[in-house]
Amino acid sequence: MSLNSFGHLFRVTTWGESHGPALGATVDGCPPGVAIDEAQIQHWLDRRKPGQSKYTTQRREPDQVRILSGVFEGQTTGTPVQLMIENTDQRSKDYSEIAEKFRPGHADITYWQKYGIRDYRGGGRSSARETAARVAAGGLARAALNALVPGIEIRGYMTQIGPHGIDRDRFDPDQIDANPFWCPDATAAGDWADYLDGLRKSGNSVGAVVEVVARGVPAGLGAPVYGKLDTDLAAAMMSINAVKGVEIGEGMAAATLTGEENADEIFMGNDGRPVYSSNHAGGILGGISTGQDVVVRFAVKPTSSILKPRQTITKSGEAAEIITKGRHDPCVGIRAVPVGEAMMACVILDHLLLHRGQIGENRGSIG
Amino acid sequence: MSLNSFGHLFRVTTWGESHGPALGATVDGCPPGVAIDEAQIQHWLDRRKPGQSKYTTQRREPDQVRILSGVFEGQTTGTPVQLMIENTDQRSKDYSEIAEKFRPGHADITYWQKYGIRDYRGGGRSSARETAARVAAGGLARAALNALVPGIEIRGYMTQIGPHGIDRDRFDPDQIDANPFWCPDATAAGDWADYLDGLRKSGNSVGAVVEVVARGVPAGLGAPVYGKLDTDLAAAMMSINAVKGVEIGEGMAAATLTGEENADEIFMGNDGRPVYSSNHAGGILGGISTGQDVVVRFAVKPTSSILKPRQTITKSGEAAEIITKGRHDPCVGIRAVPVGEAMMACVILDHLLLHRGQIGENRGSIG
Amino acid sequence: MSLNSFGHLFRVTTWGESHGPALGATVDGCPPGVAIDEAQIQHWLDRRKPGQSKYTTQRREPDQVRILSGVFEGQTTGTPVQLMIENTDQRSKDYSEIAEKFRPGHADITYWQKYGIRDYRGGGRSSARETAARVAAGGLARAALNALVPGIEIRGYMTQIGPHGIDRDRFDPDQIDANPFWCPDATAAGDWADYLDGLRKSGNSVGAVVEVVARGVPAGLGAPVYGKLDTDLAAAMMSINAVKGVEIGEGMAAATLTGEENADEIFMGNDGRPVYSSNHAGGILGGISTGQDVVVRFAVKPTSSILKPRQTITKSGEAAEIITKGRHDPCVGIRAVPVGEAMMACVILDHLLLHRGQIGENRGSIG
Amino acid sequence: MSLNSFGHLFRVTTWGESHGPALGATVDGCPPGVAIDEAQIQHWLDRRKPGQSKYTTQRREPDQVRILSGVFEGQTTGTPVQLMIENTDQRSKDYSEIAEKFRPGHADITYWQKYGIRDYRGGGRSSARETAARVAAGGLARAALNALVPGIEIRGYMTQIGPHGIDRDRFDPDQIDANPFWCPDATAAGDWADYLDGLRKSGNSVGAVVEVVARGVPAGLGAPVYGKLDTDLAAAMMSINAVKGVEIGEGMAAATLTGEENADEIFMGNDGRPVYSSNHAGGILGGISTGQDVVVRFAVKPTSSILKPRQTITKSGEAAEIITKGRHDPCVGIRAVPVGEAMMACVILDHLLLHRGQIGENRGSIG
């Protein structure tokens, strides 16, 4: 299994299994001179940490990060930064049943078919625990972004759980941190709580949609045609466990628009930079950032480890019924919010470095 | 502008501008011994070729491919295959106006900001003509796939134009080639013809949704966690001009499902291989193919070159109104169908080669 | 056969066979705004061109380069630059004998074993003709280097043919272009002429050593630890046909020095930059350029296509004697000089772009 | 500082500084099902470990490796293998003087110029301690090689220290482990002991030549033209600290041979495979393995940390004299032997995986 790395110049390799001794991220290509310490990274990890509400897995992991290399006297040195998180709460006994049976909708069966070796302890490498390493790397990316281009803000939130979407008219950024769902709509958050309580009690789970917005991204980032900013964002988000769809700006709804509707008209802003009448493009044209908000959305499928009985087979090919006990997320999409933010931070930083390397600076002035 | 390549082991680099002397694909990593000639590749190019109906651009390009290297006595040699298409119908004069103005919704402005040099002749590198090179490479990928794993079928079609979707109950594969829209639903195809006629006459354009299915893909392809099969498919499709969303299987609708609904139940098939009760997963679990149909969908935004007047600015920052004359596709999504097929073929072949390289063969037997 | 590309950000993919319709280089990652035309690149190609003296192959190839993409109105646009050279003098009939027999010391046998398809026409992809594409790419790299950091000079020359080395005390840069050997020592050039005349008449060939020096390279280029400047130079030179050894600075002789002797002492120069008492390091310490001359040497083995009879086997495993007729270089090292220069130019440019991407500028000031 | 990875499919990223908490290798792409444990890897690390004789640094590091991921129940799972070595003997105080002065011949000055942040503790990332991570990765590569192609043997030894080379007529493989120099010539080993004693007492150091041979490598490995087996070996060896030259087979001496001398004649062996009359090629033709021994040699420059006073400058640009105290290797080439072996193992394994991925198996049969 190769290809555990992403990024062109800011290159992150994650490693580790759900129930091994540790997991982490080896980050190569972070610029030198970025002020960073473990507490800064821990801040972001704490947002993804399990067990913070009854709506996420009850596994208790402190997810304490250690910086093992690449930082000297409080600054990055330009050498690889090793971010390690030790696993502590590894109750492997919960997984005894699924060592033989494949969970429908889960990577159990494909890992077995591909590798012939299955680390059944909590899903091994296919577990959502892998995303802790992404969040750690994202914390470093945020610090580097801040050092290179102050003012970039990256914010994720949920816009839908099951059939219940937010009302954009009630969008309030201050609500995002005020409920266990990263929901910008207080009313929706209330509805979701009721809805998820019901699901959780019945042993079921549900999908969700996460939106991540990067504000303050300079125009000119993105490397056409196979390293487009949206191409890399799509790959980054699709690589997150359980993601089944990715949208930029209008996304799938772009199919329903006419050219006249879709054209974000252009004007000159007071600061001498172009402004746009709308943002159907999600901040990206021809794979290159426009300077508008970069807007990405992705759908997370429901957790496949559920208490509802489903038909499956065993490794020896026998028919079987499966019920997955354990400490699973009723809506794994909730914890995908900080992960989506982390991926956005890594991709934006990577393209900022690429842009400098290839071009040096924006070349075409307007006005 | 780097990153004009895609693929890990089957590596395609496209080159060329809309109105330069030629464009093409440099394909590195094609296995030796694959029977191929220009006619086979031309077959696929002819499906993408402009000017075949009144619903696509009226530019007349024969899009004749030449194989300049890598093939000897009718077989690939294992060396790079150079596929070149000369441009012949380059009426640059149509583009005189847009040399100074930026088209809203188009890459004009971002290319200018990034590179400071703008090949205004037909969009230069950002033109959909670049996708001809992809289709040529896809033709080679199909031949190689066929040589390595006979029986893989890759088929694309349109499922939506503007607000008008197909009816899945009327899905008839024989219809796909029987109308100018690659539409599997004869009734919808009729509706689309009327709808597009109206749009075209009014100088407007519209978006679309394309679905591509690969049948016969063996289980085990995909390299978790950043080279997942779905990750690479998402990147491949998002890299196509004008694509704004990508879905695998249920796609964005996965958000609305419960875990119970989403779980594709597993049974043993008569041939000793697992079969599934449904395919919400789109043939991919944990980033690895299950052996079911691999199902990808993507949304294409409307062409931004339209006759409807829109507000914009010039390179010198003056406000201006723009109307784009020229020979543009009222629904560029139509010609994206063969492009999506080509990308699917390239990605599947690439992962087949990767899988052999890393693992050699599927290792985990069932039953 | 993958991996026909080199470079990280300035990425060159060569394609084409000795006797196919054409060969060339697809160059991705060239910065925009570099002034370039075909004549500039032709200048460098003409230096490598065969048939310029009796000491190189008598094949007559004009090696005329065409720029098919990436250049608009005399400047690079930042898109891939396709450089194509059509083959014209392809006397395939000369190769009839070697279609069945393997030349000792030649890639014939390994290509056959690996690929099972052998393009016997002039060695196919393993021919030194492939290096024409490198020289074309190197011409573009020189232009880009000149645009980014004026004053970098790259110069190659021969220091040894067979047992006959130059005398460093007679080193005269003006001699390099004054003889058919790129020899900086006029006396040695005379000796070489006599020596090669004898070899050529007897149907034999001989090896050589080429040295390439880059002057004016800024300090700070190189990406420890696996993308060191010397690592990439070693790979670049070793990838040239027939090269069997690569040295940086003292090279293999570094083994004989004590630490005291090897330490290039450091002083402050009048311009506020460090100067060194000597250059045993060849301009590179810890994989990073020091600002001194970057000095690389490589050994080229003798041409394996010779008129001297040698024992070999046929494809069917029969013992055979082989004599290779045809138009071969008695000392292929001669034409390796412009190739070595081209590789140096590409590597230096690549690291210049990488350095800007990762670091932005040199960060540590002295004094 | 990016590019801390090497390998195409067996991809090793090393991380960590000389005096940080730990260092290690993140290994991505190891095939699943390879039997491995910490003891096996420790075996190879112990050969490189410092402090084993008076001829290497007196730093006492147990270099105890821990496997943190990628291995389950004694076998690799196909996921990334994290190999961590904690640093224990970090006497930073020895380095106080060199925090301000640059050691001639050392990476001190270039790291400072490039990064502007200098981890003066033992050279930070430029320290030879980084090679411990390579040896750990090499141990894993050996296990994987053994699982895939039993019978490949990789052996390194020294052939020269300072001006004193071995006598090939006295080459005795059993001697290699019998002296502190990995010297295959017992007489030379005795001479080296005397010679190094003198150097060590005078506070000086000296260079060396290491040769590494891989026996049993199948024909067909290597990916022309920029991923040739010799290209990748040259890069691998040149990336080792202090290496200044790399040779394949005849190496630099190939320059002195005629084509007649250099041609390794080919015969059919009794086992139906080609045999060769000699091995000037070092087991590689056209970048592809022939099946003969793969022979690589590299020169290691003398340690630059010496007690002999040398002229240098400080960070503030003042002239200064420097004497480097501390625990340094009088001949760092000695400990480069296991490192060279490790790099050879990684490169051979990588190309074995690449070969399977691209071709599947050797295709051209002989006889």
Side-chain angles (χ1 to χ4, degrees):
Chain A
M1 181 158 86
S2 196
L3 302 180
N4 285 279
S5 302
F6 70 94
H8 306 281
L9 290 182
F10 184 79
R11 192 147 178 82
V12 177
T13 305
T14 67
W15 54 272
E17 284 81 47
S18 174
H19 285 64
L23 55 82
T26 310
V27 183
D28 196 14
C30 186
V34 175
I36 192 76
D37 59 21
E38 288 168 355
Q40 274 176 275
I41 292 176
Q42 195 62 47
H43 169 77
W44 302 108
L45 271 171
D46 287 348
R47 291 162 57 92
R48 195 211 72 102
K49 204 165 63 175
Q52 300 192 100
S53 81
K54 61 185 171 182
Y55 305 109
T56 57
T57 171
Q58 295 308 297
R59 179 170 171 168
R60 300 278 168 188
E61 282 288 358
D63 276 358
Q64 203 71 39
V65 71
R66 283 188 63 200
I67 300 176
L68 295 185
S69 67
V71 176
F72 182 54
E73 298 179 345
Q75 289 186 70
T76 58
T77 58
T79 64
V81 180
Q82 182 58 264
L83 303 168
M84 181 176 74
I85 299 163
E86 287 178 87
N87 288 320
T88 57
D89 184 12
Q90 315 154 7
R91 270 195 264 162
S92 300
K93 62 181 181 300
D94 287 329
Y95 295 97
S96 52
E97 188 184 67
I98 60 171
E100 289 306 313
K101 297 178 186 171
F102 302 113
R103 280 167 285 183
H106 193 278
D108 285 345
I109 190 166
T110 51
Y111 269 65
W112 170 252
Q113 289 179 296
K114 186 177 189 82
Y115 300 110
I117 289 197
R118 189 172 149 216
D119 181 351
Y120 47 78
R121 303 163 306 166
R125 182 78 180 143
S126 70
S127 164
R129 260 196 84 59
E130 184 270 340
T131 61
R134 303 181 187 222
V135 172
L140 178 60
R142 284 178 187 264
L145 270 179
N146 196 48
L148 294 173
V149 183
I152 295 179
E153 277 174 57
I154 292 167
R155 198 74 179 91
Y157 42 84
M158 297 200 68
T159 61
Q160 188 178 331
I161 285 189
H164 306 290
I166 62 166
D167 182 338
R168 295 265 169 184
D169 292 336
R170 287 196 300 255
F171 195 106
D172 175 2
D174 293 337
Q175 286 298 316
I176 297 174
D177 285 341
N179 59 70
F181 310 110
W182 316 107
C183 179
D185 168 354
T187 308
D191 297 344
W192 294 355
D194 295 342
Y195 175 70
L196 280 182
D197 279 337
L199 272 177
R200 196 168 48 84
K201 282 173 193 155
S202 73
N204 213 338
S205 64
V206 75
V209 175
V210 173
E211 187 167 284
V212 183
V213 175
R215 187 157 297 170
V217 175
L221 305 196
V225 295
Y226 300 109
K228 287 174 174 168
L229 187 56
D230 37 4
T231 298
D232 282 356
L233 285 170
M237 300 309 172
M238 194 63 95
S239 76
I240 300 173
N241 308 46
V243 171
K244 300 303 283 185
V246 180
E247 302 188 313
I248 306 291
E250 280 295 327
M252 297 306 291
T256 66
L257 298 181
T258 65
E260 191 177 12
E261 292 163 342
N262 183 64
D264 304 313
E265 292 185 306
I266 315 175
F267 303 89
M268 279 305 280
N270 293 331
D271 63 351
R273 284 191 286 194
V275 293
Y276 295 83
S277 62
S278 51
N279 190 11
H280 297 293
I284 303 174
L285 287 174
I288 303 171
S289 60
T290 62
Q292 293 182 275
D293 286 0
V294 175
V295 182
V296 181
R297 250 179 335 279
F298 56 91
V300 185
K301 71 178 185 185
T303 317
S304 47
S305 300
I306 51 177
L307 286 167
K308 297 282 188 184
R310 301 300 289 165
Q311 286 302 308
T312 190
I313 56 175
T314 64
K315 274 163 63 178
S316 48
E318 302 298 314
E321 193 178 79
I322 187 165
I323 293 172
T324 312
K325 293 170 188 161
R327 300 158 296 165
H328 302 289
D329 292 276
C331 177
V332 75
I334 299 171
R335 291 200 294 135
V337 171
V339 182
E341 290 179 343
M343 298 309 282
M344 175 72 95
C346 290
V347 171
I348 300 286
L349 173 60
D350 191 32
H351 274 278
L352 194 66
L353 297 175
L354 266 178
H355 184 59
R356 294 165 47 152
Q358 294 173 276
I359 312 297
E361 54 188 320
N362 276 10
R363 297 174 46 92
S365 61
I366 296 172
Chain B
M1 180 159 86
S2 197
L3 302 181
N4 286 279
S5 303
F6 69 93
H8 306 280
L9 290 182
F10 185 79
R11 191 145 179 85
V12 177
T13 305
T14 67
W15 54 273
E17 284 81 48
S18 174
H19 286 62
L23 55 83
T26 309
V27 183
D28 196 14
C30 187
V34 175
I36 192 77
D37 58 21
E38 288 168 355
Q40 273 177 275
I41 292 176
Q42 196 62 47
H43 169 77
W44 302 108
L45 271 170
D46 286 348
R47 292 161 57 92
R48 194 211 74 102
K49 202 164 64 175
Q52 301 194 100
S53 81
K54 59 185 171 182
Y55 305 109
T56 57
T57 173
Q58 295 307 298
R59 178 170 173 169
R60 300 279 167 188
E61 282 289 359
D63 277 357
Q64 204 71 37
V65 71
R66 283 188 63 201
I67 300 177
L68 295 184
S69 66
V71 176
F72 182 56
E73 299 180 341
Q75 288 186 69
T76 57
T77 58
T79 64
V81 180
Q82 182 58 267
L83 303 168
M84 181 176 73
I85 298 163
E86 287 177 89
N87 288 321
T88 58
D89 183 13
Q90 315 154 7
R91 272 194 263 162
S92 300
K93 62 180 181 300
D94 287 327
Y95 296 97
S96 52
E97 189 184 67
I98 60 170
E100 289 307 314
K101 297 179 188 171
F102 302 113
R103 280 167 284 183
H106 194 278
D108 285 345
I109 190 167
T110 51
Y111 270 65
W112 172 252
Q113 289 179 294
K114 186 178 189 81
Y115 301 110
I117 289 198
R118 189 172 149 217
D119 182 350
Y120 47 78
R121 305 163 305 166
R125 181 77 181 145
S126 70
S127 164
R129 261 197 81 60
E130 183 270 341
T131 60
R134 303 182 188 220
V135 172
L140 179 60
R142 284 179 188 264
L145 270 180
N146 196 48
L148 295 173
V149 183
I152 295 179
E153 278 175 54
I154 293 168
R155 199 73 181 88
Y157 42 85
M158 297 200 65
T159 61
Q160 187 178 332
I161 284 188
H164 307 291
I166 62 166
D167 182 337
R168 295 267 170 183
D169 291 336
R170 287 196 301 255
F171 194 106
D172 174 3
D174 293 337
Q175 285 299 317
I176 297 174
D177 285 341
N179 59 70
F181 311 109
W182 315 108
C183 178
D185 168 355
T187 309
D191 296 345
W192 293 355
D194 294 343
Y195 175 71
L196 281 183
D197 278 337
L199 272 177
R200 195 168 48 84
K201 282 172 193 155
S202 72
N204 213 338
S205 63
V206 74
V209 175
V210 174
E211 185 167 284
V212 183
V213 175
R215 185 157 299 169
V217 175
L221 305 195
V225 295
Y226 300 108
K228 287 174 174 169
L229 187 56
D230 37 4
T231 298
D232 282 356
L233 285 169
M237 300 310 173
M238 194 63 95
S239 76
I240 301 172
N241 308 48
V243 171
K244 300 303 283 185
V246 181
E247 302 188 313
I248 306 291
E250 280 295 327
M252 297 305 291
T256 65
L257 298 181
T258 65
E260 189 177 15
E261 291 162 344
N262 184 63
D264 303 314
E265 293 186 304
I266 315 174
F267 303 89
M268 279 306 278
N270 293 330
D271 63 352
R273 285 193 284 195
V275 293
Y276 295 81
S277 62
S278 51
N279 190 11
H280 297 292
I284 303 174
L285 288 173
I288 303 171
S289 60
T290 61
Q292 292 183 277
D293 286 2
V294 176
V295 182
V296 180
R297 248 179 336 276
F298 56 91
V300 184
K301 72 179 184 185
T303 317
S304 47
S305 299
I306 52 177
L307 286 167
K308 297 283 187 186
R310 302 298 290 163
Q311 287 303 308
T312 190
I313 56 176
T314 64
K315 272 162 64 177
S316 48
E318 301 299 312
E321 191 178 80
I322 187 165
I323 292 173
T324 313
K325 292 169 188 161
R327 301 158 296 166
H328 302 288
D329 291 277
C331 177
V332 75
I334 298 172
R335 289 202 294 135
V337 171
V339 181
E341 290 179 344
M343 298 309 282
M344 175 73 94
C346 290
V347 172
I348 299 286
L349 173 61
D350 192 32
H351 274 278
L352 195 66
L353 297 175
L354 266 178
H355 184 60
R356 291 165 49 152
Q358 294 174 278
I359 313 297
E361 56 189 316
N362 277 8
R363 296 175 45 92
S365 61
I366 296 174
Chain C
M1 183 160 81
S2 196
L3 302 179
N4 286 279
S5 304
F6 69 93
H8 306 282
L9 291 182
F10 184 79
R11 192 148 179 84
V12 177
T13 305
T14 67
W15 55 272
E17 284 81 46
S18 175
H19 286 64
L23 55 84
T26 310
V27 183
D28 196 14
C30 186
V34 175
I36 192 77
D37 58 21
E38 289 167 355
Q40 274 176 274
I41 291 176
Q42 196 63 46
H43 169 76
W44 302 108
L45 271 171
D46 287 348
R47 291 161 57 92
R48 196 213 71 104
K49 203 164 65 175
Q52 302 193 99
S53 81
K54 61 185 171 182
Y55 306 108
T56 58
T57 171
Q58 294 307 299
R59 179 169 172 168
R60 301 279 167 189
E61 282 287 359
D63 276 358
Q64 203 70 40
V65 71
R66 283 188 63 202
I67 299 177
L68 295 184
S69 67
V71 176
F72 183 53
E73 298 179 344
Q75 289 186 69
T76 58
T77 58
T79 64
V81 180
Q82 182 59 264
L83 303 168
M84 182 176 73
I85 298 163
E86 287 179 90
N87 288 321
T88 58
D89 183 12
Q90 315 153 9
R91 271 194 263 164
S92 300
K93 63 181 180 301
D94 287 328
Y95 295 97
S96 53
E97 188 184 68
I98 60 170
E100 290 305 313
K101 296 178 188 170
F102 303 114
R103 279 167 286 182
H106 193 279
D108 285 346
I109 190 166
T110 51
Y111 270 66
W112 171 251
Q113 288 179 296
K114 185 177 188 84
Y115 300 110
I117 289 196
R118 189 172 149 216
D119 181 350
Y120 47 78
R121 304 164 305 167
R125 181 78 181 145
S126 70
S127 164
R129 261 197 82 59
E130 184 269 340
T131 60
R134 303 181 187 220
V135 172
L140 179 60
R142 283 178 188 264
L145 270 180
N146 195 49
L148 295 172
V149 183
I152 295 180
E153 277 174 57
I154 292 167
R155 199 72 179 92
Y157 42 85
M158 297 200 67
T159 60
Q160 187 178 331
I161 285 189
H164 306 291
I166 62 166
D167 181 338
R168 295 265 168 183
D169 291 336
R170 287 196 300 254
F171 194 107
D172 175 3
D174 293 338
Q175 285 298 317
I176 298 174
D177 284 342
N179 60 70
F181 310 110
W182 316 107
C183 178
D185 168 355
T187 308
D191 297 343
W192 294 355
D194 296 340
Y195 175 70
L196 281 181
D197 279 336
L199 271 177
R200 197 169 47 83
K201 283 172 192 155
S202 73
N204 212 339
S205 63
V206 75
V209 175
V210 173
E211 186 167 286
V212 183
V213 174
R215 185 157 298 169
V217 175
L221 305 194
V225 296
Y226 300 109
K228 288 174 173 168
L229 187 57
D230 37 3
T231 298
D232 282 357
L233 285 170
M237 300 310 171
M238 194 63 94
S239 76
I240 301 172
N241 308 48
V243 171
K244 301 302 284 184
V246 180
E247 302 188 313
I248 306 292
E250 280 295 326
M252 298 305 292
T256 65
L257 298 181
T258 65
E260 191 177 12
E261 291 163 343
N262 183 65
D264 302 314
E265 292 186 305
I266 316 175
F267 303 89
M268 279 305 279
N270 293 330
D271 63 350
R273 284 192 284 194
V275 292
Y276 296 82
S277 62
S278 51
N279 190 10
H280 297 293
I284 303 174
L285 287 173
I288 304 171
S289 60
T290 62
Q292 293 183 275
D293 286 2
V294 176
V295 181
V296 181
R297 249 179 335 277
F298 56 91
V300 185
K301 71 178 185 185
T303 318
S304 48
S305 299
I306 51 176
L307 286 167
K308 296 283 186 183
R310 300 300 289 163
Q311 287 301 310
T312 189
I313 56 175
T314 65
K315 274 163 64 178
S316 48
E318 302 298 315
E321 192 178 80
I322 188 164
I323 292 172
T324 313
K325 293 167 188 162
R327 300 159 296 166
H328 302 289
D329 290 276
C331 178
V332 75
I334 297 171
R335 291 200 292 135
V337 171
V339 181
E341 290 179 344
M343 299 308 283
M344 174 74 93
C346 291
V347 171
I348 299 287
L349 173 61
D350 191 32
H351 274 279
L352 194 66
L353 297 174
L354 266 178
H355 184 60
R356 292 164 51 151
Q358 294 174 277
I359 312 296
E361 55 188 318
N362 276 10
R363 297 176 45 92
S365 61
I366 296 173
Chain D
M1 182 158 85
S2 197
L3 301 181
N4 287 278
S5 302
F6 70 93
H8 306 281
L9 291 181
F10 184 78
R11 192 146 178 83
V12 177
T13 304
T14 66
W15 54 271
E17 285 81 46
S18 173
H19 286 63
L23 55 83
T26 310
V27 183
D28 195 15
C30 187
V34 175
I36 190 77
D37 59 20
E38 289 167 354
Q40 274 177 275
I41 292 175
Q42 196 63 47
H43 169 76
W44 302 108
L45 271 171
D46 287 348
R47 291 161 58 92
R48 195 211 72 102
K49 204 164 63 175
Q52 302 193 98
S53 80
K54 59 185 171 181
Y55 305 108
T56 58
T57 172
Q58 296 306 301
R59 179 169 172 169
R60 301 278 168 188
E61 282 288 359
D63 277 358
Q64 203 71 37
V65 70
R66 283 189 62 201
I67 299 176
L68 295 184
S69 67
V71 176
F72 182 54
E73 298 179 344
Q75 288 186 72
T76 57
T77 59
T79 64
V81 180
Q82 182 58 264
L83 303 167
M84 181 177 73
I85 298 163
E86 287 178 89
N87 288 321
T88 58
D89 183 12
Q90 315 153 8
R91 272 194 263 161
S92 300
K93 63 178 179 305
D94 287 327
Y95 296 97
S96 52
E97 188 184 67
I98 60 170
E100 290 306 314
K101 297 178 188 172
F102 302 114
R103 279 166 286 182
H106 194 277
D108 285 345
I109 190 166
T110 51
Y111 269 66
W112 171 251
Q113 288 179 295
K114 185 177 188 84
Y115 299 110
I117 289 196
R118 188 171 149 217
D119 182 350
Y120 48 78
R121 303 163 305 166
R125 182 75 180 146
S126 70
S127 163
R129 260 197 82 61
E130 184 269 342
T131 60
R134 303 181 187 219
V135 172
L140 180 60
R142 283 180 188 263
L145 270 180
N146 196 49
L148 295 173
V149 184
I152 295 179
E153 276 174 56
I154 293 168
R155 199 73 181 89
Y157 42 85
M158 297 200 67
T159 61
Q160 187 178 333
I161 285 188
H164 306 292
I166 62 165
D167 181 339
R168 296 265 169 183
D169 291 336
R170 287 196 301 253
F171 194 106
D172 174 4
D174 293 337
Q175 286 297 318
I176 298 174
D177 285 342
N179 59 71
F181 310 109
W182 316 107
C183 178
D185 169 354
T187 308
D191 296 344
W192 294 355
D194 294 341
Y195 175 70
L196 281 181
D197 278 336
L199 272 176
R200 195 167 49 82
K201 282 172 193 157
S202 74
N204 213 338
S205 64
V206 75
V209 175
V210 173
E211 186 167 285
V212 183
V213 175
R215 185 157 296 171
V217 175
L221 305 196
V225 296
Y226 301 108
K228 287 173 174 169
L229 187 56
D230 37 4
T231 299
D232 283 356
L233 284 170
M237 299 310 172
M238 194 64 95
S239 76
I240 300 172
N241 309 49
V243 171
K244 301 302 283 186
V246 181
E247 303 188 311
I248 307 291
E250 280 296 324
M252 299 304 291
T256 65
L257 298 181
T258 65
E260 190 177 13
E261 291 162 344
N262 183 63
D264 303 315
E265 292 186 305
I266 316 175
F267 303 89
M268 279 305 280
N270 292 331
D271 63 351
R273 285 193 283 194
V275 293
Y276 295 81
S277 63
S278 51
N279 191 11
H280 296 292
I284 303 174
L285 288 173
I288 303 171
S289 60
T290 61
Q292 292 181 276
D293 286 1
V294 175
V295 181
V296 180
R297 248 178 335 278
F298 56 92
V300 185
K301 72 177 185 186
T303 318
S304 48
S305 300
I306 51 177
L307 286 167
K308 297 281 187 187
R310 302 299 289 165
Q311 287 302 310
T312 189
I313 56 175
T314 65
K315 274 163 64 179
S316 47
E318 301 299 314
E321 192 178 81
I322 188 165
I323 292 173
T324 312
K325 292 169 189 162
R327 301 159 295 166
H328 303 289
D329 291 276
C331 177
V332 75
I334 298 171
R335 288 201 293 136
V337 171
V339 181
E341 290 179 344
M343 298 309 282
M344 174 73 94
C346 290
V347 171
I348 300 286
L349 173 61
D350 192 33
H351 274 278
L352 195 66
L353 297 173
L354 266 178
H355 184 60
R356 291 165 49 152
Q358 294 173 279
I359 312 295
E361 57 189 315
N362 276 11
R363 297 175 44 91
S365 60
I366 295 173

